[in-house]
Amino acid sequence: GQVWAAKYVTDPTTGKVVTAPEYGGTITLAAVEEQMSSDTFESGPNGSGMNSGVVEKLGFADWATPRDEFDFQFLNVPANTRGQLAESWSQPDPLTFVINVRQGVHWHDKEPMNGRELIADDIVFNFHRVFGMGSGFTEASEWLQDWAGVEFESITATDKWTVEFKLKQLSLTALRLVLDHWISWIYPPEVLQEHGDMLDWRNLVGTGPYEATKWVAGSSETYTKNPDYWSFDEKYPENRLPYADQIRVLIMPEVATMLSAVRTGKVDRGYTLRTIDQVESLQRTNPELLIWPIYGRADYMFGMDNINPPFDDIRVRKAMQMALNLEEINSAYFGGYADMIPQGLLNRLMTEVVFQFEEWPEDVKKVFDYDPEGAEALLDEAGYPRGADGTRFKIEFMHLNRYSTNWPELVGSYWKKIGVDMEIEVLAINPWVARSRAKDFKIKNLSGAAKWFPMPYLSGQLTEAGFYGSVNADADYDAMSEAAGAATTTEEQNRIYRQMNQHVIENFYAVWGGNAPTFEVTQPWLKGYNGEGWMGNGQKIPIYARLWIDQELKDRSQ
């Protein structure tokens, strides 16, 4: 027989022994939808996917962090952010921070950048564009909701490798947002000057480990290795990144198609599985697959139009919650895996910014008990009696197609019992985002219980200016958001975040449906992976630049 020998290494972040990193091959990923655009100035978070790995930011999470300290499973990039295009940073006074730009980083060897070196002026140009404050830009991006209270007096290059940010007033969040926010990507200035935006992927030039080389609309995206990439593997510092020659993303809106591609080894990583049935089915047919449970946030909440009838009445909002049998939902739908303890927009494990359920007022806690009779009484009292056909009112649920329709159908069956009739409209990400931002919906998917930096969840979702959450006109809440942005100490800011989270809970601005894990599935030959999802906001492909294919194992498995 064939003699097979492999070199092994110990992963310093987990202590696991794995086959040693090797170069070459293609990592193939499945995606449920293609990206909205490649320009986050225009499309915010929804432009990040295609950028990721092509263009870079000033900072990202440190891949060498032990996984028991930080698991990379959600976007809450920790305090140990590492420099990406920034070599280092300092804060000489409370209103000033200084970024030292990494030297020796070159733009891709592609027109019009032609491999020129990245300099401080490139950083300044991009932040002038984001804030509409120079370099020919006067209009700020529409995606600045998370930057509440952050205003810059100036952003200047003090020399070829140094950028100075001067704030108008103290902000505890400014540095973090500059280092790693959805819209803090560093785009090539010459391309923006020539084309005015970065909406056409063909114009995308970056400094990252991969170049965007092919995009077949609705079908696939291909990224090819940048041979001159500047960075080395943080775990194995002698290894220059990236390992794989190519990253291919296959667009597979149908879950059945994706599952089949996973079973046959056509993809190295499927996209996120959202039901226990899918997981158990794969485990039965392909026991060799690696399945990683991810508890990042609750995608099983509901945002409502709280300004217009019927949800402008808190009694109706309470009734919607009381109609749900959370324990039954957990056992029947989530297979017992979910954390059903009621939570707001922030995860209960983030103890410094949330009140625990036991601390909530009794009258608030009891709304989460299953009480269909109580719900009916509230709807009667609110002026929504049952009609001749037994229906009190009809609503349309705006459902994002990446989630199974089984979920709104299940919840709708509980609401039907109290006389609320619900139709489901399924939308792809682009129209769903557009309708969310236009606040053109009655009820829809909402994410909460997030283990993430609080401001985006609290301000981005529920303020008047917010873009994804419930529809609100709550001046008190907006004022809290402003106060959080203007806070001068972390303790004060955390106190306000706690108030904001509790305000959402006690006004029932969202319906709680539980926090169930999602699941990532990978082939056994994809090495270096431990269930990580992000290295920062939208920073997914940098993970795959740090993974490798065990070609020997792949050949033997197929």
Short mmCIF file of all heavy atoms in Angstrom, two decimals, residues 245-268:
data_model
loop_
_atom_site.label_atom_id
_atom_site.label_comp_id
_atom_site.label_asym_id
_atom_site.label_seq_id
_atom_site.Cartn_x
_atom_site.Cartn_y
_atom_site.Cartn_z
N ASP A 245 -4.77 29.34 -3.55
CA ASP A 245 -4.58 30.14 -4.78
C ASP A 245 -5.85 30.90 -5.15
O ASP A 245 -5.78 31.93 -5.83
CB ASP A 245 -4.21 29.22 -5.95
CG ASP A 245 -2.81 28.65 -5.82
OD1 ASP A 245 -1.99 29.24 -5.08
OD2 ASP A 245 -2.54 27.60 -6.43
N GLN A 246 -6.98 30.37 -4.73
CA GLN A 246 -8.24 30.94 -5.18
C GLN A 246 -9.33 30.72 -4.13
O GLN A 246 -9.33 29.69 -3.45
CB GLN A 246 -8.64 30.24 -6.49
CG GLN A 246 -9.57 31.02 -7.39
CD GLN A 246 -9.76 30.30 -8.72
OE1 GLN A 246 -10.32 29.19 -8.75
NE2 GLN A 246 -9.31 30.89 -9.80
N ILE A 247 -10.22 31.68 -4.04
CA ILE A 247 -11.45 31.51 -3.25
C ILE A 247 -12.61 31.61 -4.24
O ILE A 247 -12.69 32.60 -4.99
CB ILE A 247 -11.63 32.62 -2.18
CG1 ILE A 247 -10.39 32.75 -1.28
CG2 ILE A 247 -12.90 32.39 -1.38
CD1 ILE A 247 -10.23 31.71 -0.23
N ARG A 248 -13.47 30.61 -4.24
CA ARG A 248 -14.66 30.68 -5.11
C ARG A 248 -15.90 30.69 -4.23
O ARG A 248 -16.01 29.91 -3.28
CB ARG A 248 -14.75 29.48 -6.05
CG ARG A 248 -13.75 29.53 -7.18
CD ARG A 248 -14.19 28.63 -8.32
NE ARG A 248 -15.26 29.23 -9.11
CZ ARG A 248 -16.21 28.52 -9.73
NH1 ARG A 248 -16.25 27.21 -9.63
NH2 ARG A 248 -17.13 29.12 -10.45
N VAL A 249 -16.81 31.59 -4.53
CA VAL A 249 -18.08 31.67 -3.80
C VAL A 249 -19.18 31.29 -4.79
O VAL A 249 -19.35 31.95 -5.83
CB VAL A 249 -18.31 33.10 -3.26
CG1 VAL A 249 -19.63 33.15 -2.50
CG2 VAL A 249 -17.15 33.53 -2.36
N LEU A 250 -19.90 30.21 -4.49
CA LEU A 250 -20.99 29.75 -5.35
C LEU A 250 -22.32 30.20 -4.75
O LEU A 250 -22.59 29.92 -3.59
CB LEU A 250 -20.97 28.22 -5.50
CG LEU A 250 -19.66 27.62 -6.05
CD1 LEU A 250 -19.78 26.09 -6.14
CD2 LEU A 250 -19.31 28.20 -7.41
N ILE A 251 -23.11 30.90 -5.54
CA ILE A 251 -24.40 31.42 -5.06
C ILE A 251 -25.45 30.31 -5.19
O ILE A 251 -25.71 29.82 -6.30
CB ILE A 251 -24.84 32.66 -5.87
CG1 ILE A 251 -23.68 33.66 -6.05
CG2 ILE A 251 -26.06 33.32 -5.22
CD1 ILE A 251 -23.10 34.22 -4.78
N MET A 252 -26.04 29.92 -4.06
CA MET A 252 -27.01 28.82 -4.04
C MET A 252 -28.21 29.21 -3.18
O MET A 252 -28.26 28.87 -2.00
CB MET A 252 -26.36 27.56 -3.47
CG MET A 252 -25.17 27.06 -4.26
SD MET A 252 -24.41 25.61 -3.47
CE MET A 252 -23.23 25.14 -4.74
N PRO A 253 -29.18 29.93 -3.75
CA PRO A 253 -30.32 30.37 -2.94
C PRO A 253 -31.13 29.21 -2.37
O PRO A 253 -31.74 29.34 -1.31
CB PRO A 253 -31.17 31.20 -3.92
CG PRO A 253 -30.31 31.43 -5.12
CD PRO A 253 -29.25 30.37 -5.14
N GLU A 254 -31.15 28.07 -3.08
CA GLU A 254 -31.94 26.93 -2.61
C GLU A 254 -31.12 26.10 -1.62
O GLU A 254 -30.04 25.61 -1.96
CB GLU A 254 -32.36 26.04 -3.78
CG GLU A 254 -33.26 26.73 -4.79
CD GLU A 254 -34.57 27.18 -4.18
OE1 GLU A 254 -35.10 26.45 -3.31
OE2 GLU A 254 -35.05 28.27 -4.55
N VAL A 255 -31.65 25.93 -0.41
CA VAL A 255 -30.94 25.18 0.62
C VAL A 255 -30.64 23.75 0.15
O VAL A 255 -29.55 23.22 0.39
CB VAL A 255 -31.74 25.16 1.94
CG1 VAL A 255 -31.03 24.31 2.99
CG2 VAL A 255 -31.92 26.57 2.47
N ALA A 256 -31.59 23.14 -0.55
CA ALA A 256 -31.39 21.75 -1.00
C ALA A 256 -30.18 21.64 -1.92
O ALA A 256 -29.41 20.68 -1.86
CB ALA A 256 -32.64 21.25 -1.72
N THR A 257 -29.99 22.65 -2.77
CA THR A 257 -28.83 22.66 -3.69
C THR A 257 -27.54 22.74 -2.89
O THR A 257 -26.56 22.04 -3.17
CB THR A 257 -28.92 23.89 -4.63
OG1 THR A 257 -30.21 23.92 -5.23
CG2 THR A 257 -27.86 23.84 -5.71
N MET A 258 -27.54 23.63 -1.87
CA MET A 258 -26.34 23.79 -1.04
C MET A 258 -26.03 22.50 -0.29
O MET A 258 -24.88 22.06 -0.24
CB MET A 258 -26.57 24.95 -0.06
CG MET A 258 -25.37 25.27 0.81
SD MET A 258 -25.30 24.31 2.35
CE MET A 258 -26.67 25.04 3.26
N LEU A 259 -27.06 21.87 0.30
CA LEU A 259 -26.83 20.64 1.07
C LEU A 259 -26.27 19.54 0.17
O LEU A 259 -25.38 18.78 0.56
CB LEU A 259 -28.13 20.18 1.74
CG LEU A 259 -28.65 21.11 2.85
CD1 LEU A 259 -30.00 20.61 3.36
CD2 LEU A 259 -27.66 21.21 4.00
N SER A 260 -26.76 19.47 -1.04
CA SER A 260 -26.27 18.48 -2.00
C SER A 260 -24.80 18.76 -2.34
O SER A 260 -23.98 17.84 -2.42
CB SER A 260 -27.12 18.53 -3.27
OG SER A 260 -26.52 17.78 -4.29
N ALA A 261 -24.45 20.05 -2.49
CA ALA A 261 -23.06 20.43 -2.80
C ALA A 261 -22.13 20.08 -1.64
O ALA A 261 -20.98 19.67 -1.85
CB ALA A 261 -22.99 21.92 -3.11
N VAL A 262 -22.63 20.20 -0.41
CA VAL A 262 -21.84 19.82 0.76
C VAL A 262 -21.64 18.30 0.78
O VAL A 262 -20.53 17.79 0.96
CB VAL A 262 -22.52 20.30 2.06
CG1 VAL A 262 -21.85 19.69 3.29
CG2 VAL A 262 -22.49 21.82 2.16
N ARG A 263 -22.74 17.57 0.56
CA ARG A 263 -22.68 16.09 0.62
C ARG A 263 -21.70 15.52 -0.40
O ARG A 263 -21.03 14.53 -0.14
CB ARG A 263 -24.08 15.51 0.36
CG ARG A 263 -25.01 15.65 1.52
CD ARG A 263 -26.28 14.82 1.34
NE ARG A 263 -27.04 14.82 2.56
CZ ARG A 263 -28.10 15.61 2.78
NH1 ARG A 263 -28.53 16.44 1.84
NH2 ARG A 263 -28.75 15.56 3.95
N THR A 264 -21.64 16.15 -1.58
CA THR A 264 -20.80 15.61 -2.66
C THR A 264 -19.40 16.22 -2.67
O THR A 264 -18.61 15.94 -3.56
CB THR A 264 -21.48 15.86 -4.02
OG1 THR A 264 -21.74 17.28 -4.15
CG2 THR A 264 -22.79 15.11 -4.13
N GLY A 265 -19.10 17.06 -1.68
CA GLY A 265 -17.76 17.64 -1.61
C GLY A 265 -17.51 18.75 -2.60
O GLY A 265 -16.37 19.14 -2.84
N LYS A 266 -18.58 19.28 -3.21
CA LYS A 266 -18.42 20.35 -4.21
C LYS A 266 -18.04 21.67 -3.55
O LYS A 266 -17.43 22.53 -4.17
CB LYS A 266 -19.74 20.50 -4.99
CG LYS A 266 -19.67 21.46 -6.16
CD LYS A 266 -21.01 21.55 -6.88
CE LYS A 266 -20.99 22.63 -7.96
NZ LYS A 266 -22.32 22.86 -8.54
N VAL A 267 -18.45 21.84 -2.28
CA VAL A 267 -18.04 23.04 -1.54
C VAL A 267 -17.31 22.62 -0.27
O VAL A 267 -17.60 21.56 0.31
CB VAL A 267 -19.24 23.96 -1.19
CG1 VAL A 267 -19.89 24.52 -2.44
CG2 VAL A 267 -20.26 23.27 -0.32
N ASP A 268 -16.36 23.45 0.14
CA ASP A 268 -15.58 23.16 1.35
C ASP A 268 -16.25 23.68 2.60
O ASP A 268 -15.99 23.22 3.70
CB ASP A 268 -14.18 23.78 1.22
CG ASP A 268 -13.47 23.28 -0.03
OD1 ASP A 268 -13.41 22.06 -0.20
OD2 ASP A 268 -13.01 24.11 -0.84
#
